[in-house]
Every structure is written in C-alpha cells, then in structure tokens.
Amino acid sequence: MSDITLSVKGLRKTIGKKEIIKGLDFDLKRGEVFGFLGPNGAGKTTTIRMLVGLIKPSSGSIEIGGYNVRKNFTKAMSQMGCIVENPELYSYLTGWENLEHFARMLPEVDRAYMEYVVDLVRLNERIHDQVKTYSLGMRQRLGIAQALLGKPKVLILDEPTNGLDPMGIREMRNFIRYLAEEEGLTVLVSSHLLSEIQLMCDRVAIISKGAVIKVDYVENLLAMQERVIWQVEPRETAKDILSEVTSVVEGPDGALITPYIENAASSWNRLLVEKGVEVKEMNRKLPALEDLFLELTGGESID
C-alpha cells in the first residue's frame, strides 16, 4: 500500500483571465503533519478549497487515498476530513448530540466508533454537556471529532490554534502530533503562527503568488539557513576580510552574519585573528522558520 495519501499534480485555478494558482505539485504521506504556509493573496485558501471539493480546479489533478477527485469525487472526499476556518456546531445541542447528527449522514458509524472518537479527542467528561458551555479549545476538539467520524486518511485543519490561549495551543499541537504518530493520519495544517508550524510539522510547503516555492522537511529547511553571528572589532575590516571568502550581511547590534559551513567557520575565525581583528563572539545560529519564510517570500507577511 502506498504511503502517499494525498497527491497534487499541476494544480491550476484561473478566475476570469487571472491565474490564481500556478501548477502546484506536492504529495502528503501517511502519518505526517504537513504545514501549508503562504503570505496574503498567495493562494493558500483557494488551494485548500480545491482540496476539500468546495471549488473545482481549472486543470491538474488531486488524488486522495488513491481516488482522483475529478473522476471519483464521492470516493475521494470520503477519504478526507476537514475543518475550514471554524467548526460548524449546534451550540444548543450537547457534544454527543452534535456527533449523532453528523453520524447519521455517514455509513457504518456505530456508537462504539463514536465513543472511540470522543475518547480520542479527550472529551469524555464533557461530551453530554451543551456545546454553548464549551471553551474554544473544546469546540475545536469536537470539530475534529466530527471530521474523524468518516474515518478519513487525510485531515485538513485551517488555523486549528486560532484564538486559543498558550495552554490550548500546546494541547492542540500535541493532539495533532498524536493523530499523526499514533493513529497514522495525514494532517495538513495551515497557520499564521510560524513558531507553531516549526514545532508541529514534519514537512512544510511555502506558497507565494500562486506557486509552491519550497517543500521540504522542517529540519532541512532550517539547516540550509544555519548561520554564524560574529561580534568583531573593527567591524568594517572584518567585513572586508569575510567578504573575500563567503557572503556577509550586517545584523543587529553591529553583528556580522555569514552562512555556517562546517570545517570553514574555524578557518574564517583564524583568518580574522591573523589579520588583527578581535573576535569577541562567534555564535552558531539555527534560524526560526519565520526568518526563512520572510527570506523566501521577499518579506511578504503571512496570512
């Protein structure tokens, strides 16, 4: 059985004469959390709407669980659960009554499976309370329980930590990791909290102006941008020396920043000392995903 649960090939969307989405290609794997990031107007929301069947692509293909969305829409959609923006729930009903309502629309969802899903989202103690008494985090978990009723292979969560307090964000992050690692789900997460994406996701796709500009494992993306922060005196002399052997940019507090290259940084340090430069500090820095995001998108802000 293939580990690929969602495959996107050459996905395009044209509205009028304007091409909004420009040939996206990416695959999602079983048991991973996949981050989907894009600045304002990048096409992230349009892409998600195509993935969940709310709008049709102009061209290209989407396969979910091995089923082509265009050729076998019902089968493909049965492989997916999603929450786009906020979960839609009946606040005057209890959590259990909400699940019963949605379960009636699905085949082969019995009480035992509903109880399993309730346990999975850790709502056992409150499931028979009215939803209007739930916190935002509990509503999010009930929404995920609803999305899991159809036993999907892929779960798409749009801003799952939006509005949560720090404790709720951490609980949601841990829960999403659990769904992927222990339950084997593929979880696609879109978020504007880059720090959370960095902690939560295995791989990330960065989309800008309708095109995917980078897809890779988070640690690989960050390792590519590993840097050395130099505090040196005199700075201009040091900058001239380092510029002859590597790229140099000026950082805050009078620092110089160079790429980190194993086996080279120590020789650069020796070269500076030999040229009479005082090296006060030399720090190896692994940047945050936010730094990489801004660099790749030319400083565009996140959604």
Side-chain angles (χ1 to χ4, degrees):
M1 184 179 296
S2 173
D3 281 339
I4 303 298
T5 52
L6 188 150
S7 181
V8 174
K9 303 294 183 188
L11 192 66
R12 296 179 183 274
K13 180 63 179 179
T14 301
I15 299 177
K17 295 183 178 180
K18 185 175 181 181
E19 189 174 41
I20 306 297
I21 303 299
K22 305 170 183 177
L24 302 190
D25 293 282
F26 57 88
D27 293 325
L28 273 60
K29 302 174 184 177
R30 183 181 184 275
E32 77 169 342
V33 182
F34 189 90
F36 199 52
L37 301 173
N40 290 319
K44 176 170 61 77
T45 300
T46 300
T47 301
I48 289 176
R49 287 175 175 167
M50 286 191 283
L51 295 180
V52 302
L54 293 178
I55 59 176
K56 292 182 178 180
S58 299
S59 62
S61 68
I62 302 169
E63 287 191 2
I64 308 169
Y67 295 100
N68 185 286
V69 170
R70 191 184 297 270
K71 296 177 181 177
N72 202 333
F73 182 84
T74 302
K75 279 283 190 181
M77 288 298 116
S78 72
Q79 309 293 306
M80 177 179 288
C82 66
I83 301 179
V84 178
E85 297 180 353
N86 298 311
E88 297 296 331
L89 304 165
Y90 296 100
S91 61
Y92 60 89
L93 298 178
T94 67
W96 182 261
E97 288 168 341
N98 268 274
L99 293 183
E100 282 185 320
H101 174 71
F102 291 108
R104 293 188 190 104
M105 307 177 195
L106 300 167
E108 301 177 359
V109 179
D110 56 20
R111 184 182 181 88
Y113 186 72
M114 289 174 61
E115 290 174 347
Y116 164 75
V117 169
V118 169
D119 183 64
L120 188 63
V121 300
R122 306 183 188 106
L123 278 177
N124 310 67
E125 296 183 3
R126 297 292 304 278
I127 195 62
H128 295 293
D129 294 345
Q130 287 183 307
V131 169
K132 65 183 178 182
T133 68
Y134 284 12
S135 67
L136 180 57
M138 293 170 64
R139 287 170 179 256
Q140 288 281 48
R141 282 186 278 149
L142 183 61
I144 292 175
Q146 172 192 325
L148 294 175
L149 286 176
K151 304 177 184 179
K153 292 182 179 179
V154 180
L155 181 63
I156 293 181
L157 302 177
D158 187 13
E159 300 283 359
T161 59
N162 198 24
L164 299 181
D165 60 24
M167 179 64 74
I169 289 173
R170 185 169 67 176
E171 289 178 352
M172 182 60 66
R173 179 208 312 153
N174 292 339
F175 176 58
I176 289 171
R177 291 294 329 166
Y178 175 84
L179 290 176
E181 294 171 2
E182 302 299 326
E183 299 297 318
L185 265 72
T186 300
V187 187
L188 186 150
V189 177
S190 71
S191 178
H192 69 284
L193 298 175
L194 289 171
S195 59
E196 282 305 309
I197 289 289
Q198 184 171 338
L199 292 170
M200 187 189 307
C201 297
D202 300 297
R203 291 193 300 145
V204 175
I206 297 175
I207 179 173
S208 179
K209 299 176 183 177
V212 168
I213 56 177
K214 202 75 175 178
V215 180
D216 206 340
Y217 289 94
V218 173
E219 61 266 28
N220 291 346
L221 289 171
L222 297 180
M224 289 168 56
Q225 301 298 315
E226 200 165 1
R227 292 155 185 175
V228 180
I229 312 299
W230 304 82
Q231 293 288 353
V232 289
E233 187 67 37
R235 189 177 71 159
E236 289 304 317
T237 301
K239 183 178 179 182
D240 291 340
I241 294 168
L242 289 172
S243 296
E244 293 179 3
V245 293
T246 187
S247 59
V248 185
V249 296
E250 296 185 13
D253 304 322
L256 298 177
I257 303 173
T258 67
Y260 172 75
I261 302 175
E262 194 171 2
N263 302 324
S266 60
S267 65
W268 299 341
N269 179 55
R270 185 167 56 251
L271 180 63
L272 289 171
V273 173
E274 289 173 352
K275 297 282 189 176
V277 173
E278 181 185 0
V279 180
K280 296 179 177 180
E281 289 185 31
M282 175 184 171
N283 295 317
R284 180 176 170 185
K285 181 178 182 287
L286 190 66
L289 184 59
E290 184 172 4
D291 300 328
L292 175 64
F293 179 88
L294 293 173
E295 187 172 308
L296 290 173
T297 61
E300 294 178 272
S301 62
I302 192 72
D303 288 73

